[in-house]
Amino acid sequence: VAALIVGIITLRMSGHYLPLATIAWGLSLNYTMANMDWLGKYDGILGVPSLELFGNSLGSGRGLHDLIWIFVLLAALGVTHLLDSRPGRAIRSLKSGATMAEAMGISTFRYKLVVFVYAAVLAAISGWLFAHFQRAVNPTPFSIGKGIEYLFMAVLGGVGSVWGAFTGAALVKLAEDKLQVACRLSAKAAQQKLRVLIYTGDEAEATARHATLEAQTSAQRQVQQAAQQAAERARQEAEAAAQATQDALRRSLADAERAWNELQRTVSELQ
C-alpha cells in the first residue's frame, strides 16, 4: 500500500527527476524512521525472534540460508515469467521510451506502477528475511550508500538481464571482500612497520642513553684522576717546601754554631 501511494506520487515524473525523487524518498524515510522513538531510533528494533518454519526454528544458520535462496530463485523465476508474458512485453517497451509505448496503446504509468509495487514487494521480503537473519533491524543498512551499491550490482550484471543481477551481486561482493582483505593486510603491514620503527627508536634511545651514561662516567673518572694528580702534585710540592725549610734551618744553625765558636775563640784570645 505504501509503495502504491509513493508510486502514484513519484512515477508521474520522468527523466532524471524520477531517480532523484526516489533517492529523496529513501533519505526522508530513513531519517524519519531513525528519529521515531517507538522504532528505537538509530538503535532500531532489537531482539527479533528467529524465523520458525513448521514449528522448527531456523535461527541464523543453514536453514535460513536455504530459505533465502528459495525466495531469491522464486523471485527471479517470477520476474522472468513476468517479462515473457504480454504485460512483460509492455514493460520491456518502456525501455525505449514512453512515446512509442503510448502510441501502441500501452498505459506507461500503469506498468511503471506495477514494476514499482513488485519491486517494493521484493524489497519488503528481503527486509523481512534480513531482520530475522540479523535478529535486529535499524536504519543504517538502508541508507543511500546501500542503494547505490545495489544499483551498481544491477548495472554491472546487466540491467536487461534478470540472471545478470546474480553475476553483478557476486562480482561486487567478491571485490568488496578482496578489498577488505587487502586493506586488512595493508593495515597489518603498516602496523608491523610501525612496531619496527618504534622498536628501532627505543633501541636507538637506549643506545644513546647508554652512551650518555658512559660519557658521564668517563668524565667523572677523568675529573677524579685530575683531582688525584693535582693532590699528588700539591703533596709533593709541600714535601719539597718542607725539605727546603729544614735544609735552611740546618744551615742557619750551622752558621750560628760557627759564629758562637768564633766568638768563644775571640774571648779566649782576649783573656
Side-chain angles (χ1 to χ4, degrees), residues 28-45 139:
S28 60
L29 291 175
N30 182 278
Y31 181 78
T32 302
M33 293 178 180
N35 287 276
M36 290 182 175
D37 293 329
W38 61 280
L39 289 179
K41 292 189 175 183
Y42 285 98
D43 293 333
I45 302 174

Side-chain angles (χ1 to χ4, degrees), residues 38-268:
W38 61 280
L39 289 179
K41 292 189 175 183
Y42 285 98
D43 293 333
I45 302 174
L46 305 176
V48 177
S50 61
L51 192 63
E52 293 186 359
L53 186 63
F54 302 113
N56 297 320
S57 177
L58 300 179
S60 59
R62 182 179 177 83
L64 188 57
H65 292 169
D66 295 338
L67 182 62
I68 291 172
W69 274 109
I70 290 172
F71 274 104
V72 170
L73 294 176
L74 289 177
L77 291 174
V79 172
T80 303
H81 287 297
L82 174 63
L83 293 177
D84 290 338
S85 64
R86 183 176 178 180
R89 289 191 291 271
I91 293 172
R92 288 181 185 274
S93 67
L94 299 176
K95 183 179 179 181
S96 302
T99 304
M100 183 179 295
E102 289 176 353
M104 299 299 293
I106 297 173
S107 176
T108 56
F109 176 76
R110 175 187 174 187
Y111 285 108
K112 284 182 181 179
L113 189 60
V114 168
V115 172
F116 192 86
V117 173
Y118 188 75
V121 170
L122 294 180
I125 295 174
S126 301
W128 174 66
L129 292 172
F130 178 79
H132 285 286
F133 179 77
Q134 296 287 338
R135 308 293 295 275
V137 60
N138 58 71
T140 304
F142 305 100
S143 61
I144 187 174
K146 288 297 181 181
I148 295 174
E149 183 178 344
Y150 301 148
L151 178 61
F152 185 68
M153 291 177 182
V155 172
L156 187 62
V159 179
S161 174
V162 175
W163 302 105
F166 292 87
T167 304
L171 291 176
V172 170
K173 297 310 293 183
L174 287 175
E176 184 179 344
D177 292 339
K178 293 295 183 182
L179 288 175
Q180 288 179 353
V181 172
C183 292
R184 195 178 298 112
L185 292 176
S186 300
K188 287 184 178 179
Q191 186 179 9
Q192 188 65 27
K193 289 183 179 180
L194 183 61
R195 287 179 180 176
V196 171
L197 290 176
I198 293 174
Y199 176 76
T200 305
D202 293 341
E203 189 176 19
E205 184 179 358
T207 304
R209 191 183 299 111
H210 183 68
T212 303
L213 290 175
E214 287 186 351
Q216 291 177 354
T217 304
S218 178
Q220 291 177 356
R221 193 180 298 112
Q222 291 178 358
V223 170
Q224 291 177 356
Q225 290 178 356
Q228 291 176 357
Q229 291 176 358
E232 183 66 21
R233 286 195 298 271
R235 185 181 63 77
Q236 292 177 356
E237 290 176 357
E239 290 179 354
Q243 186 67 32
T245 302
Q246 290 177 0
D247 293 339
L249 288 174
R250 290 193 189 95
R251 287 193 297 270
S252 298
L253 289 174
D255 293 339
E257 188 176 358
R258 284 195 299 271
W260 175 256
N261 292 330
E262 289 179 359
L263 182 59
Q264 286 181 347
R265 283 196 303 271
T266 304
V267 170
S268 298

